[in-house]
């Protein structure tokens, strides 16, 4: 099923409105060790969204932490709940290093995913996962920064008779807001935790070496 989704996503990327996303593909799943790229990878950037408590937050609000960023929506039938389940596992596996990590779930369905709805949804997986929403323009701007594809498809007349096709990478951003790598949606939580633990360790080593 996920292979079929991947093939579908590749076909969608070939459409003119999504051609800019192709440039991101080669860098998405680069493995650690974490080293500065020779040329900056343009994934991630400034955004302004709304937290479950109604507060306005930006890409700077979580500075100093490693971010796990995933775009999805609360009515997603399989990929989103599966990914958030694995993120929750990763948080449990991280141990003390979990204090260095902040997972963010950004909706691509802002009409239905109000702050209350997305807050309740993310808390059902782990209270440490923060759900973010906003108006359509804010969501589109954030998605563009990450090269995220999404499109709403309706199959009936009701408000709930629609699904949102969307790309499904879990992005890792360093404490300075720079893209490091991405995981496929079906990556096991223990593997995510192991990668993050190593990234945190390497960051500490570099920091300690800089202090000497």
């Amino acid at each position: 099923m996920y292979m079929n989704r991947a093939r579908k996503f590749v076909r969608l990327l070939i459409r003119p409105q999504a051609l800019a996303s192709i440039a991101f593909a080669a860098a998405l799943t680069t493995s650690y060790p974490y080293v500065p790229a020779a040329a900056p990878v343009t994934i991630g950037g400034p955004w302004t969204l709304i937290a479950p408590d109604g507060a306005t937050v930006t890409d700077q609000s979580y500075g100093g932490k490693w971010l796990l960023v995933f775009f999805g929506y609360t009515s997603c039938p399989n990929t989103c709940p599966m990914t958030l389940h694995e993120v929750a596992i990763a948080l449990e596996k991280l141990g003390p290093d979990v204090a260095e990590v902040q997972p963010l779930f950004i909706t691509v369905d802002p009409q239905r995913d109000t702050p209350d709805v997305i807050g309740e949804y993310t808390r059902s997986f782990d209270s440490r996962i923060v759900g973010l929403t906003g108006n359509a323009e804010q969501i589109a701007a954030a998605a563009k920064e990450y090269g995220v594809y999404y499109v709403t498809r309706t199959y009936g007349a009701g408000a709930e008779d629609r699904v949102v096709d969307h790309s499904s990478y879990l992005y890792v951003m360093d404490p300075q807001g720079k893209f490091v790598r991405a995981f496929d949606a079906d990556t096991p939580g223990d593997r995510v935790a192991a990668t993050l633990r190593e990234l945190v360790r390497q960051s500490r080593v570099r920091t300690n070496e800089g202090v000497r």
Side-chain angles (χ1 to χ4, degrees):
M1 178 174 64
Y2 298 110
M3 184 61 68
N4 290 336
R5 283 175 171 267
R7 293 194 188 100
K8 182 177 181 182
F9 179 50
V10 169
R11 290 197 298 270
L12 289 168
L13 283 177
I14 298 174
R15 296 178 180 179
Q17 67 267 31
L19 284 176
S21 297
I22 295 176
F24 297 150
L28 283 178
T29 55
T30 302
S31 299
Y32 60 81
Y34 170 47
V35 295
V41 178
T42 55
I43 297 176
W47 46 259
T48 300
L49 296 168
I50 306 300
D53 62 0
T56 298
V57 296
T58 73
D59 55 296
Q60 300 298 311
S61 298
Y62 306 99
K65 290 196 174 186
W66 293 84
L67 298 184
L68 280 177
V69 183
F70 187 76
F71 287 78
Y73 66 113
T74 64
S75 300
C76 181
N78 45 44
T79 302
C80 298
M82 175 197 68
T83 303
L84 292 184
H85 173 70
E86 296 301 334
V87 169
I89 291 175
L91 295 178
E92 291 298 324
K93 298 280 187 179
L94 273 169
D97 290 331
V98 74
E100 308 285 338
V101 177
Q102 178 58 66
L104 302 176
F105 178 69
I106 301 176
T107 186
V108 290
D109 187 15
Q111 185 176 349
R112 287 184 289 187
D113 290 344
T114 64
D116 287 342
V117 169
I118 200 167
E120 181 178 356
Y121 182 74
T122 55
R123 284 193 297 271
S124 70
F125 295 93
D126 193 293
S127 61
R128 292 167 291 193
I129 303 173
V130 174
L132 298 176
T133 187
N135 59 40
E137 291 75 18
Q138 289 172 319
I139 297 301
K144 182 179 179 181
E145 294 292 347
Y146 284 83
V148 169
Y149 166 86
Y150 67 100
V151 63
T152 301
R153 304 189 185 281
T154 59
Y155 56 89
E160 297 300 316
D161 296 336
R162 65 178 187 268
V163 295
V164 184
D165 290 340
H166 62 94
S167 50
S168 54
Y169 288 111
L170 180 62
Y171 301 90
V172 180
M173 312 298 289
D174 75 10
Q176 289 72 48
K178 303 297 183 182
F179 172 76
V180 177
R181 63 159 295 158
F183 297 102
D184 292 326
D186 57 351
T187 303
D190 55 355
R191 180 182 164 199
V192 174
T195 301
L196 288 172
R197 188 179 299 110
E198 179 62 14
L199 289 169
V200 170
R201 185 195 67 79
Q202 292 176 10
S203 179
R204 286 173 180 158
V205 169
R206 289 193 305 275
T207 298
N208 292 336
E209 288 176 347
V211 171
R212 293 174 187 173

